[in-house]
Amino acid sequence: MTDGAHTGAMVALFPAPSEAEALAAAGTESSEQIHLTLVYLGKAADFDEAQRAAIEDAVAAVAAKHAPLSGKVGGSGSFQPGDDGTPVIALVDVIGLTGLRTALMDALEPSIVEDGSVVADLKHGFSPHITLGYVQGDAAPPVLDEGPLTFAAISVVWA
């Protein structure tokens, strides 16, 4: 993991604290950093206060219409290596996750357009996962036991 400052904005789900601690033990991220990104919005600096408020209102409105989500961690894997190393991930199986993301994207679209220019691109695929950390070289991803996963709150994160 790099020590560089994070500059992005996202809408994320954070697991229950005990579940985040168990996932953090398998990787290099702290339990406070363990999350599932539903929508990556881009650079936080690209949003003014009015846009931020509109995004937070849209997320709150969607959250009010959805019950907490639960499911399980279904294994581990990795993505292609990048500048920080190879991202090691927990695979998740959560009923309702895709529907929640779709509702968020629909609600967020008016908030990310300013004077006809799009501030964030919501046309991105979705591979639900939780990043556990980054490994260097040919290190294998950790072996994760199947375990519960509970998301009771949704957050907008401005880094």
Side-chain angles (χ1 to χ4, degrees):
M1 186 173 145
T2 65
D3 291 331
H6 296 283
T7 60
M10 67 179 166
V11 179
L13 295 171
F14 290 83
S18 62
E19 295 164 359
E21 288 174 16
L23 290 168
T28 59
E29 298 287 313
S30 70
S31 60
E32 294 82 21
Q33 294 173 317
I34 296 292
H35 68 277
L36 187 149
T37 303
L38 284 169
V39 181
Y40 180 72
L41 297 169
K43 293 182 182 178
D46 290 345
F47 297 90
D48 63 28
E49 289 304 314
Q51 288 170 313
R52 288 180 182 215
I55 288 168
E56 290 169 3
D57 289 346
V59 170
V62 170
K65 296 177 185 174
H66 286 80
L69 300 176
S70 61
K72 63 184 178 182
V73 173
S76 61
S78 61
F79 287 133
Q80 292 296 318
D83 294 340
D84 295 336
T86 301
V88 176
I89 62 169
L91 303 171
V92 301
D93 182 9
V94 178
I95 293 174
L97 189 59
T98 302
L100 174 60
R101 182 174 187 271
T102 299
L104 279 169
M105 291 175 61
D106 290 346
L108 287 170
E109 192 165 8
S111 303
I112 56 109
V113 177
E114 180 178 295
D115 299 328
S117 64
V118 176
V119 179
D121 181 11
L122 299 182
K123 307 285 191 263
H124 190 277
F126 184 52
S127 298
H129 68 280
I130 295 173
T131 301
L132 302 174
Y134 298 83
V135 296
Q136 303 301 318
D138 294 332
V143 175
L144 292 177
D145 292 329
E146 186 175 292
L149 198 53
T150 308
F151 298 112
I154 189 169
S155 300
V156 180
V157 179
W158 304 103

